[in-house]
């Protein structure tokens, strides 16, 4: 392990709240930054993140009027699909002139539906105008035979979207929001089959179910905290069969709050393996989604949230992830980039 007795304490990183508020207000009240203009079909997603960011910063009510917030809710309702669910933006709505053949190009989208409902909740909307029954019926049609969910209904009624478990997360979220209260007349999704699908998924890096899944899953999640922050970083990369290091090799690694080490080589050896490293090596450590990938801001949410759901948040290095977010991806104009050097 490292010896920090000869190193001066690192200055505490600063969260620039005022800059973040200014950035999100710019996104809300003017035009989106250039980098996002090509993603206009995902405007509902941007709307949710913008509104919720200002709410988290305790700035939504102070920097918007009641009339403005009602206007945001009205725009969300304009994206509501007549057959249930929500579109990603209003541009796909062909209105009454839309032909039957063209309707497949104007589908409701599961992600947009979840973000629309969540944004309405943040805005304090009572959601009386949400077509709850139609939305729940539509969401049920997205469930596949194996219990998983797709993203949208495409041409000829085909369920579109890859086998991404995040669709299962979104579908469960939509169900939780809309089924509160009694809706006995609306048939529910196949909840047990959804749970069975998730339980059947092999753990990361394995081809079959693991009898010790909870412990190995926690270990894998913790091992996602990485010092590999940029493509240019010269750090060891994981492989299918991790080789034993030569005696003179000392790959960068650090202990995560006395739990599990981070580098791939140390992880293969087992827990509580520590090596001598420099303080600078431990300064920042983000999360990635799988081996051989650089740290990514969004995985601070996905991995941190997963550890939270498992009640194991104490196993991550809070100081290292905080420094990564505030010193590496927090942007000078506000907001956070996806990776080091990216625009917010």
């Amino acid at each position: 392990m490292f010896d920090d007795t000869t190193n001066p304490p690192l200055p505490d990183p600063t969260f620039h709240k005022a800059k973040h508020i200014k950035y999100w207000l710019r996104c809300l009240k003017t035009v989106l930054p250039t980098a996002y203009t090509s993603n206009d079909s995902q405007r509902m997603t941007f709307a949710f993140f913008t509104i919720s960011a200002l709410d988290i910063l305790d700035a939504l009510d102070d920097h918007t009027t009641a009339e403005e917030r009602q206007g945001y809710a009205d725009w969300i309702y304009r994206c509501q699909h007549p057959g249930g669910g929500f579109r990603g933006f209003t541009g796909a709505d062909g209105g009454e002139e839309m032909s039957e053949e063209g309707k497949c190009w104007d589908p409701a989208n599961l992600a947009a539906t979840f973000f629309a409902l969540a944004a309405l909740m943040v805005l304090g909307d009572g959601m009386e105008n949400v077509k709850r029954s139609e939305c729940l019926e539509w969401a049920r049609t997205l469930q596949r035979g194996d219990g998983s969910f797709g993203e949208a209904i495409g041409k000829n009624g085909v369920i579109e979207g890859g086998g991404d478990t995040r669709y299962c997360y979104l579908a469960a979220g939509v169900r939780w929001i809309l089924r509160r209260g009694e809706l006995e007349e609306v048939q529910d999704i196949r909840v047990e089959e959804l749970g069975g699908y998730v339980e059947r998924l092999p753990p990361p890096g394995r081809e079959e179910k693991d009898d010790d899944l909870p412990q190995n899953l926690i270990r894998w999640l913790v091992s996602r905290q990485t010092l590999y922050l940029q493509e240019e970083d010269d750090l060891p990369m994981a492989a299918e069969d991790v080789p034993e290091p030569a005696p003179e090799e000392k790959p960068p690694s650090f202990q995560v709050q006395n739990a599990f080490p981070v580098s791939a080589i140390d992880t293969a050896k087992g827990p509580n393996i520590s090596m001598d490293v420099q303080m600078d090596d431990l300064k920042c450590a983000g999360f990635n989604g799988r081996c051989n990938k650089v740290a990514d801001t969004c995985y601070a949410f996905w991995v941190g949230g997963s550890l939270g759901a498992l009640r194991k948040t104490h196993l991550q290095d809070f100081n290292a992830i905080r420094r990564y977010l505030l010193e590496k991806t927090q942007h000078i104009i506000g907001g956070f980039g996806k990776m080091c050097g990216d625009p917010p």
Side-chain angles (χ1 to χ4, degrees):
M1 199 56 184
F2 65 91
D3 179 10
D4 63 353
T5 58
T6 61
N7 293 284
L10 295 170
D12 194 41
T14 302
F15 178 72
H16 301 293
K17 180 177 179 180
K19 289 184 177 180
H20 288 288
I21 292 174
K22 186 176 181 179
Y23 168 77
W24 288 113
L25 286 173
R26 174 194 170 191
C27 292
L28 181 66
K29 298 192 175 187
T30 63
V31 296
L32 288 172
T34 302
Y36 302 112
T37 54
S38 61
N39 296 304
D40 201 49
S41 62
Q42 301 179 44
R43 190 170 285 265
M44 184 66 73
T45 304
F46 294 150
F48 166 74
F49 284 121
T50 302
I51 291 169
S52 62
L54 287 168
D55 184 56
I56 290 171
L57 293 166
D58 197 24
L60 182 61
D61 290 347
D62 291 341
H63 291 82
T64 61
T65 65
E67 291 74 19
E68 286 176 323
R69 293 191 293 276
Q70 183 59 52
Y72 305 146
D74 291 344
W75 177 83
I76 293 172
Y77 279 117
R78 286 200 295 273
C79 294
Q80 187 167 210
H81 198 281
F86 287 77
R87 306 175 177 90
F89 75 138
T90 56
D93 183 7
E96 296 179 355
E97 297 181 0
M98 177 73 76
S99 66
E100 287 298 321
E101 293 182 353
K103 287 184 178 180
C104 64
W105 302 107
D106 178 33
N109 177 287
L110 186 55
T113 300
F114 174 82
F115 289 133
L117 295 174
L120 288 172
M121 293 177 70
V122 172
L123 291 167
D125 184 80
M127 295 200 290
E128 294 86 357
N129 295 321
V130 173
K131 298 179 179 179
R132 296 175 65 193
S133 297
E134 292 89 339
C135 187
L136 289 169
E137 290 281 6
W138 163 80
R140 191 171 59 84
T141 66
L142 298 176
Q143 191 168 19
R144 297 188 175 99
D146 61 359
S148 67
F149 277 83
E151 180 182 10
I153 300 297
K155 199 170 184 178
N156 298 322
V158 175
I159 300 175
E160 303 287 356
D164 191 325
T165 51
R166 284 175 290 191
Y167 293 138
C168 299
Y169 169 85
L170 295 171
V174 169
R175 175 185 181 272
W176 182 84
I177 293 171
L178 294 182
R179 288 201 75 90
R180 289 184 296 174
E182 295 297 327
L183 280 176
E184 295 180 357
E185 71 279 7
V186 180
Q187 188 174 348
D188 200 358
I189 64 172
R190 305 189 307 277
V191 177
E192 292 186 1
E193 292 184 30
L194 172 59
Y197 168 78
V198 174
E199 291 178 350
R200 290 192 303 273
L201 291 172
R206 301 173 185 262
E207 296 181 356
E208 56 186 25
K209 189 174 180 180
D210 190 344
D211 292 334
D212 195 21
L213 177 59
Q215 186 66 23
N216 286 331
L217 177 59
I218 292 168
R219 184 187 181 92
W220 182 85
L221 287 167
V222 174
S223 72
R224 299 277 54 80
Q225 195 157 16
T226 177
L227 303 174
Y228 185 41
L229 306 184
Q230 302 183 76
E231 294 289 350
E232 295 78 12
D233 288 344
D234 186 18
L235 292 177
M237 303 292 280
E240 291 294 328
D241 297 315
V242 180
E244 285 293 327
E248 66 273 9
E249 280 189 274
K250 289 189 178 180
S253 82
F254 64 95
Q255 205 72 19
V256 182
Q257 305 226 335
N258 297 319
F260 301 119
V262 167
S263 79
I265 294 175
D266 285 346
T267 301
K269 283 187 171 184
N272 299 318
I273 304 296
S274 59
M275 295 183 179
D276 292 331
V277 293
Q278 300 297 317
M279 176 62 76
D280 286 346
D281 293 331
L282 310 179
K283 183 180 178 183
C284 297
F287 282 107
N288 62 20
R290 58 188 184 274
C291 294
N292 298 348
K293 294 295 183 181
V294 298
D296 185 326
T297 299
C298 74
Y299 286 108
F301 169 80
W302 289 113
V303 178
S306 296
L307 288 171
L310 294 166
R311 299 184 179 181
K312 298 294 182 180
T313 54
H314 61 283
L315 297 180
Q316 61 185 312
D317 189 319
F318 288 104
N319 291 332
I321 185 61
R322 185 169 182 267
R323 286 191 176 278
Y324 166 73
L325 293 172
L326 295 181
E327 294 183 355
K328 298 296 184 180
T329 65
Q330 181 176 226
H331 202 277
I332 191 172
I333 67 170
F336 289 85
K338 177 179 173 64
M339 297 178 183
C340 298
D342 284 356

